[in-house]
Amino acid sequence: MAEINFFKVCATIILLLSTNSRAFGAPVEKGSALFIFGDSTVDPGNNNYINTIPENRAAYKPYGQNGFFAEPTGRFSDGRVIVDYIAEYAKLPLIPPFSQPSADYTSGVNFASGGAGVLPETSHGLVIDLPTQLKNFEEVQKSLVEKLGESETKELIAEAVYFISIGSNDYMGGYLGNPKMQESYLPETYVGMVIGNLTQAIQVLYERAARKFGFLSLSPLGCLPALRALNFKDNEGKCLEAASALAQAHNSALKAVLAGLEQVLPGFKYCNSNFYDWLDDRINNPSKYGFKDGVNACCGTGPYGGVYTCGGTKNVKDYQLCDNADDHVWWDSFHPTERIHEQFAKSLWSSTEHPSSVAPYSLQDLFFNKEKLTIADIVDSPDGDQFQ
């Protein structure tokens, strides 16, 4: 009879117990903290606390109608948005808005503001623009040092994931809706300006010790119900190509910039997404993904529900509401339904589901594969003390 190696048996048992620890009631590993910057795609309610126009608010019914939240929160959705799912997958609580009084920042903060752009000129005076969001992040860092101490805060900041979803408003309102901008800048020049400012923002965060980034790229903007409605008379409601072309140019430029930053910034890791093609497929083939309608908004009025009246708080009070938001790709004239947010969060989390949509890392890699990035990368970097 073959001799049994006692130590190999013990090692095997330990390995099995460790890989199945969840089944035995062991505590589930908590992911890195999550800091969020952006616009209405990820705003959890920051705009509830600022003076702005009704178009930049969503803290009223039927927003949040699906019952996950007890009342509307300010999210531009029938329920949750993509970062709520990311937090869930990372074993984190819901990430609070920066503007929420007495918020706990130890699991992260959401700085996003509906209507915001990369450029401070976009929706100027009506939103929390990206430069201001970055300043707010610095305030959070100081607050964390006071609460946790410098050493623990350094580790939290270094291990955190920084999720950025912004740019649509720069092109829709900031350029296509602004004749002066179109007179001053060619489309490619304007895209370069937006990307240049976004790159600068990434570098600012990197200098503050951020190393792991996630990006939600721009959708096919011309196919939003609002822009399709603008094109209704001239082109039978087809997608507004000028808007979609700007989104594609932005995404291509960002992809190149991120690849470059990975080469020159030590420890820089990122998850980029091809949200454009992913969403375009659901718009054109909704039934393939469990939807019934990829064109019309669930909440709104006019052609395709593209007149932005959802909730009846704007100049035009009339709006129609569909029976089941889960049947639709679009919730209102500009924003997708919770179901779209959930589906793409899953894609970002695990790139095995849609490998062509997410690269070079998945969000799961960034949150849990901490061995790929050590605190020594930050502490021993030639940049010196990141908290001065």
Side-chain angles (χ1 to χ4, degrees):
M1 187 174 68
E3 183 179 352
I4 297 175
N5 188 314
F6 175 76
F7 294 103
K8 283 186 178 181
V9 171
C10 288
T12 302
I13 292 171
I14 291 169
L15 178 62
L16 287 171
L17 287 173
S18 64
T19 55
N20 291 283
S21 59
R22 190 175 303 180
F24 289 90
V28 177
E29 182 188 7
K30 177 183 173 183
S32 307
L34 174 60
F35 294 99
I36 302 152
F37 303 83
D39 52 27
S40 59
T41 53
V42 289
D43 182 358
N46 280 307
N47 280 9
N48 300 346
Y49 301 92
I50 65 173
N51 291 321
T52 188
I53 56 177
E55 286 78 5
N56 289 341
R57 291 190 189 275
Y60 48 82
K61 295 179 180 180
Y63 288 89
Q65 69 165 12
N66 70 9
F68 181 84
F69 299 104
E71 57 187 8
T73 61
R75 288 167 171 80
F76 292 79
S77 163
D78 56 310
R80 286 168 283 182
V81 294
I82 189 167
V83 289
D84 297 323
Y85 288 101
I86 292 169
E88 177 187 328
Y89 303 155
K91 313 303 178 188
L92 297 171
L94 287 172
I95 305 301
F98 170 76
S99 302
Q100 179 180 304
S102 304
D104 180 3
Y105 298 153
T106 54
S107 292
V109 190
N110 191 326
F111 302 96
S113 172
V118 174
L119 304 178
E121 296 84 358
T122 300
S123 306
H124 182 69
L126 300 172
V127 299
I128 307 166
D129 58 39
L130 185 57
T132 303
Q133 292 181 34
L134 294 173
K135 290 177 183 176
N136 291 341
F137 173 66
E138 292 184 19
E139 292 302 311
V140 167
Q141 277 190 301
K142 293 175 184 176
S143 174
L144 287 170
V145 169
E146 292 175 4
K147 181 175 182 178
L148 304 176
E150 190 167 317
S151 177
E152 191 173 342
T153 299
K154 276 187 175 182
E155 184 172 0
L156 186 153
I157 295 298
E159 288 291 355
V161 173
Y162 298 80
F163 191 82
I164 299 174
S165 176
I166 198 165
S168 298
N169 296 306
D170 295 294
Y171 298 112
M172 291 189 294
Y175 189 74
L176 294 176
N178 189 337
K180 288 185 178 179
M181 278 292 189
Q182 293 181 62
E183 290 172 10
S184 302
Y185 302 100
L186 292 170
E188 56 268 28
T189 305
Y190 187 81
V191 170
M193 190 162 61
V194 173
I195 291 295
N197 278 263
L198 182 54
T199 304
Q200 205 169 33
I202 296 167
Q203 290 173 317
V204 166
L205 288 170
Y206 182 87
E207 289 167 4
R208 302 298 298 181
R211 291 296 182 269
K212 300 187 289 188
F213 293 81
F215 297 90
L216 182 63
S217 62
L218 301 189
S219 69
L221 296 178
C223 300
L224 273 60
L227 275 71
R228 199 186 286 266
L230 288 176
N231 214 25
F232 181 65
K233 291 182 180 179
D234 296 336
N235 206 11
E236 298 178 347
K238 293 181 181 178
C239 298
L240 188 63
E241 290 304 322
S244 293
L246 285 167
Q248 285 182 308
H250 174 99
N251 292 342
S252 295
L254 178 60
K255 182 179 180 180
V257 163
L258 294 176
L261 291 176
E262 187 179 31
Q263 297 302 312
V264 299
L265 298 180
F268 180 84
K269 301 281 192 296
Y270 69 95
C271 166
N272 193 22
S273 60
N274 183 1
F275 190 44
Y276 188 105
D277 289 341
W278 186 95
L279 189 59
D280 190 58
D281 195 18
R282 281 154 180 77
I283 291 169
N284 293 310
N285 305 289
S287 60
K288 183 178 173 183
Y289 301 98
F291 299 95
K292 293 181 179 179
D293 193 327
V295 172
N296 298 286
C298 173
C299 186
T301 195
Y304 314 109
V307 180
Y308 191 32
T309 61
C310 188
T313 63
K314 307 166 186 71
N315 290 334
V316 179
K317 306 297 182 187
D318 180 55
Y319 71 94
Q320 289 79 49
L321 184 64
C322 70
D323 293 331
N324 185 3
D326 284 347
D327 290 339
H328 288 252
V329 167
W330 299 107
W331 161 245
D332 66 15
S333 309
F334 290 95
H335 306 101
T337 55
E338 181 192 72
R339 195 168 177 214
I340 285 289
H341 282 280
E342 181 182 18
Q343 286 189 6
F344 200 60
K346 288 178 179 177
S347 294
L348 281 174
W349 186 254
S350 176
S351 57
T352 55
E353 186 174 342
H354 296 282
S356 63
S357 298
V358 180
Y361 290 86
S362 71
L363 285 180
Q364 186 177 30
D365 292 333
L366 299 184
F367 274 101
F368 289 113
N369 288 4
K370 294 182 181 179
E371 70 276 2
K372 291 184 177 180
L373 175 68
T374 68
I375 189 67
D377 294 329
I378 310 304
V379 175
D380 298 334
S381 73
D383 300 330
D385 193 343
Q386 309 291 346
F387 291 86
Q388 291 181 348

